[in-house]
Amino acid sequence: MTTPKKSARKVIITCAVTGSIHTPSMSPHLPVTPDQIAAEAIAAVKAGAAIVHLHARDPETGRPTQDPDLFQRFLPRIKQATKAVVNITTGGSAAMTVEDRLRPAAQFQPEVASLNMGSMNFGLFPMLNRFTEFQHDWERTYLENSRDLVFKNTFKDIEHILKTCSGNGTRFEFECYDISHLYTLAHFLDRKLVTPPLFVQSVFGILGGIGAHPEDVMHMKRTADRLFGDQYVWSVLGAGRNQMPIATQSLALGGNVRVGLEDNLWAGPGRLATSNAEQVAMVRKLIEGLALEVATPDEARAMLSLKGGDAVRF
């Protein structure tokens, strides 16, 4: 008798290409210019990423910016070269106003936009212990100022972003840096300002948010299960050296994964990752080693109930 073949679970890989946490002096491989961001995103998709999470930077200094003109210089190229789901940040950087952070997602109406689910301390200053020489004047000050900076995401801010983008058919990657952020998301679900399936991105290891201990991961997962049941899709990111251990735990628990140079500059102890695609390839090996399969962009669209790449404005 022939045993019916069981299909493997599909895993969504998100790649966060450049972000606003690291500064250019920390790695020569951190993409800064529109050309570099486009090339890195396209290569990450070819390596297996279904979603690319995108920030922009000033091409001269590498400083984070939400200038839509800079997004315009890489978004169409990524769309033309891949079938990837494009996820535009509304987080920008902690030093920006909410209105500034919102501009690219409001203008380009992507399939997915990130949304930070609570105000928090966001400590980048410990990186000054590792990195001491900087190419640009802004870098040291940017890190040092995070000692006395609150990343503002009030209920009013979150509601404003939701109402601005939801009418465009944009859905959200809900970035949850702590347990309280899950309860905030549940509040907006109760008010019907968000609709399932909720794409919950649990963030571990940022100073000011939840830690990166395996028990922290379990606590986040248990709480999300209790609050959302089968109404959510879970993904994780571990900051820095926590990236692959937490990805592995997520895979074992039925979750999805996020990698990329926004979250981690490294590919091993003391070894800088040479590209985003290198980290995608690393996590792909973990996925396939667990007899799971990497989700294609269209499979990710189906899992997250997205509007489709033809319905964006870029």
Side-chain angles (χ1 to χ4, degrees):
M1 187 174 71
T2 303
T3 303
K5 183 180 178 181
K6 293 183 178 180
S7 58
R9 180 172 71 85
K10 302 287 186 176
V11 177
I12 298 170
I13 301 175
T14 298
C15 182
V17 173
T18 187
S20 64
I21 291 175
H22 300 109
T23 71
S25 299
M26 296 177 182
S27 172
H29 310 296
L30 183 71
V32 167
T33 69
D35 286 348
Q36 291 168 343
I37 291 168
E40 282 286 306
I42 292 165
V45 176
K46 289 180 179 177
I51 302 174
V52 285
H53 171 71
L54 299 171
H55 291 240
R57 292 177 180 265
D58 182 311
E60 300 299 324
T61 67
R63 188 171 192 136
T65 175
Q66 290 294 88
D67 183 350
D69 290 343
L70 286 170
F71 281 82
Q72 179 63 41
R73 290 168 61 183
F74 56 75
L75 289 175
R77 294 163 62 183
I78 296 167
K79 180 182 175 183
Q80 290 163 10
T82 75
K83 294 183 178 180
V85 175
V86 170
N87 170 350
I88 295 178
T89 180
T90 69
S93 85
M96 298 175 184
T97 67
V98 172
E99 286 299 338
D100 194 28
R101 287 159 42 188
L102 181 55
R103 286 193 299 152
Q107 177 172 327
F108 296 113
Q109 301 181 15
E111 293 184 81
V112 178
S114 66
L115 180 53
N116 298 72
M117 293 309 296
S119 299
M120 61 182 291
N121 294 329
F122 206 98
L124 306 180
F125 60 87
M127 289 191 284
L128 290 167
N129 297 325
R130 177 188 286 267
F131 301 99
T132 57
E133 297 182 5
F134 297 97
Q135 305 167 33
H136 306 286
D137 291 341
W138 69 270
E139 295 178 81
R140 183 184 301 277
T141 303
Y142 181 77
L143 300 174
E144 184 64 41
N145 285 351
S146 71
R147 293 181 189 272
D148 189 29
L149 181 67
V150 172
F151 188 14
K152 179 176 172 288
N153 297 283
T154 65
F155 288 99
K156 182 179 178 181
D157 296 334
I158 294 168
E159 184 170 344
H160 176 52
I161 293 171
L162 286 171
K163 288 183 174 179
T164 300
C165 295
S166 293
N168 302 327
T170 296
R171 293 181 64 81
F172 297 92
E173 172 201 30
F174 297 104
E175 295 191 358
C176 296
Y177 293 76
D178 217 334
I179 297 299
S180 61
H181 294 183
L182 294 175
Y183 282 90
T184 297
L185 179 55
H187 163 79
F188 284 105
L189 180 62
D190 289 342
R191 292 175 58 192
K192 297 183 169 43
L193 289 177
V194 299
T195 57
L198 307 173
F199 185 32
V200 175
Q201 190 73 256
S202 295
V203 183
F204 300 93
I206 294 291
L207 183 61
I210 197 169
H213 191 279
E215 284 298 323
D216 294 323
V217 180
M218 292 300 302
H219 184 33
M220 187 77 86
K221 178 66 163 60
R222 284 192 297 263
T223 305
D225 284 344
R226 176 165 44 79
L227 291 175
F228 308 123
D230 62 358
Q231 294 185 299
Y232 83 111
V233 175
W234 188 51
S235 183
V236 304
L237 75 89
R241 65 177 180 271
N242 302 302
Q243 185 179 71
M244 293 301 164
I246 285 179
T248 304
Q249 188 173 0
S250 172
L251 294 172
L253 293 171
N256 302 276
V257 294
R258 177 170 132 173
V259 295
L261 298 183
E262 170 174 348
D263 305 329
N264 175 33
L265 294 175
W266 306 91
R271 184 168 68 85
L272 288 169
T274 58
S275 67
N276 283 276
E278 181 179 6
Q279 291 185 351
V280 174
M282 290 170 63
V283 83
R284 180 170 194 151
K285 286 183 179 178
L286 293 176
I287 292 166
E288 293 174 345
L290 292 169
L292 305 173
E293 292 184 2
V294 173
T296 67
D298 282 342
E299 287 169 338
R301 287 184 173 97
M303 293 164 69
L304 300 175
S305 297
L306 303 182
K307 64 181 179 178
D310 58 347
V312 300
R313 288 201 172 179
F314 56 85

